[in-house]
Amino acid sequence: MRTALIIIICKLCRFLGRLLGKGSSLPGKIALKLDPNILKKVKMPQYIVAVTGSNGKTSTVEMIAHVLRQSGRKIAYNREGSNQIEGVTTFILNDCTLSGRVKSDLILLESDERFARFTFKYFTPTHYVITNLYRDQLTRNGHPEWIYRLLKKSITSDSTQLVLNADDPLVSCFGLGRENTVYYGAGRIDGDVEENTSIYNDGAYCPNCKEPLKYDYYHYNHIGYYHCESCGLHRERAAYEITAADLHEGYVTINGRYRIDLAFKSLYHCYNILAAFSICNILGVPEDEICRTLGSYILKSGRVVTFTAGENSGVLLTSKHENSVSYDQAIRLVTQEKKDCTVVVIVDAISRKYFTSETSWLWDIDFELLRADNVKRVILAGEYCYDLMSRFSYCGIDKDRIEIIRDIGEAVQAIKAPDAGYIYVITCFSDKDKFLSKVKA
């Protein structure tokens, strides 16, 4: 009876929260206060799929959910992205009968990489996708190797099948000495380079033995084809592999046979698609069906939003603040499309959750890429526009092409000018609506 009462309270709090436009984690927090072991008492379905990593969790989970639902599966997942134990508790209990049995065929959850070890004390995933480990939110996450150690504590059973990004050396270490592991990655594709061109190189040393790590080629940053001559760590053979990618035409080919057209032409997004393709196929969805479902699929997460400002068209690329790789991929999209354009970079807030003015992460972003010929003008906007200007003063971009407009509203007026051309806006979740509220989206 106590379990049923807690489930009722959680469902009621969730209902009230939705009326108020909030409440994805509070109901779970209340349920855990009433019974810290409530999730141990829930009867789970046959499949529990977890997705974690520094970047791409929300997008990957959204695509997995879309494919599985189209295939006829009844799934429950944390669509709001509330990915710590409280949010996970909310969505699981809301899918339960009063007897404590999950109604869906499958639980799909996005899990915060720092807190997965707490969530999986109560239940064990049958499948565990780990996308990547990057420098991310320094004030919260420190170094990726620290996150690796925390995340490793969340892998508690050999029965869990790991689905790992083979091209990330640190992520691949989760599979060392483990049999129940499937890898995905990209083979050699157009755009690969033989030298790391990023501001920093987190692939300089082997994450396993700390000796120098050798690369045959890089896809971006430290993601690529590598091997260690000291301990033997190497890029594992991928069961699911990108064998061709044309980001200009907008398609990716998996395992030499399965083509998926891209709504968002970014290699970074290709990895999210590949992760979704891999786990959906492992769960029994045929390859051709996955391709049909994901072809030109437009993410609902709002990370890419088209808009008009005056007579000018543009796209807003939402990057994850304090995460340089996320910004790098947005900048690469700007340069690879080769449209004459104005680029607006907005930094008006640093973090959604932590009150800090720590801006050292701006120096890890490859803003030098904006020297590209198609970038005619750069506008730096928001509270931290002068921090941005300090960083841009080292980029080698002609000062005449850079303009500082602190007020976001004034920046919007500037891009309404007829000569602004196509507009790319690069900003974070915290600042996205500050811009979109002033244009037609």
Side-chain angles (χ1 to χ4, degrees), residues 50-61 63-64 109-111 113 128-134 151 162-172 174 182 184-185 220 222-223 268-269 271-276 279 320 323 325:
V51 179
T52 193
S54 299
N55 281 5
K57 297 184 292 291
T58 303
S59 298
T60 301
V61 165
M63 287 188 287
I64 295 170
L109 63 106
E110 172 187 335
S111 185
E113 60 272 24
Y128 200 173
V129 181
I130 304 179
T131 60
N132 47 63
L133 289 175
Y134 300 144
L151 193 52
L162 299 184
V163 183
L164 305 178
N165 182 351
D167 299 343
D168 186 321
L170 191 54
V171 168
S172 73
F174 288 114
V182 176
Y184 67 90
Y220 63 86
H222 65 280
I223 304 300
Y268 179 77
H269 181 53
Y271 272 93
N272 296 339
I273 287 175
L274 181 62
I279 187 63
K320 189 178 180 183
N323 187 299
V325 174

Side-chain angles (χ1 to χ4, degrees), residues 89-106:
T89 301
T90 297
F91 93 84
I92 289 178
L93 294 188
N94 271 271
D95 194 61
C96 279
T97 63
L98 295 186
S99 65
R101 180 181 60 81
V102 172
K103 293 181 284 187
S104 295
D105 304 325
L106 181 148

Side-chain angles (χ1 to χ4, degrees), residues 263-264 298-299 301-306 315-318 333:
F264 181 40
I298 298 174
L299 293 169
S301 59
R303 297 191 176 207
V304 181
V305 182
T306 57
V315 61
L316 180 140
L317 305 171
T318 308
L333 180 67

Side-chain angles (χ1 to χ4, degrees), residues 192-213:
D192 289 345
V193 294
E194 294 185 0
E195 299 292 334
N196 186 296
T197 58
S198 302
I199 296 296
Y200 63 90
N201 183 8
D202 277 344
Y205 296 97
C206 174
N208 186 49
C209 72
K210 312 308 177 188
E211 292 296 318
L213 192 63

Side-chain angles (χ1 to χ4, degrees), residues 24-96:
S24 60
S25 61
L26 183 59
K29 186 175 183 179
I30 293 170
L32 290 167
K33 283 286 187 183
L34 295 172
D35 185 350
N37 292 310
I38 185 65
L39 290 182
K40 285 186 177 180
K41 300 172 182 178
V42 170
K43 181 172 177 54
M44 296 292 186
Q46 180 181 1
Y47 296 114
I48 303 170
V49 179
V51 179
T52 193
S54 299
N55 281 5
K57 297 184 292 291
T58 303
S59 298
T60 301
V61 165
E62 180 184 320
M63 287 188 287
I64 295 170
H66 180 61
V67 172
L68 293 179
R69 283 181 168 168
Q70 290 296 310
S71 73
R73 308 286 182 93
K74 184 180 179 183
I75 70 167
Y77 78 106
N78 44 345
R79 68 177 69 236
E80 292 92 350
S82 185
N83 57 18
Q84 298 180 13
I85 180 62
E86 296 85 1
V88 170
T89 301
T90 297
F91 93 84
I92 289 178
L93 294 188
N94 271 271
D95 194 61
C96 279

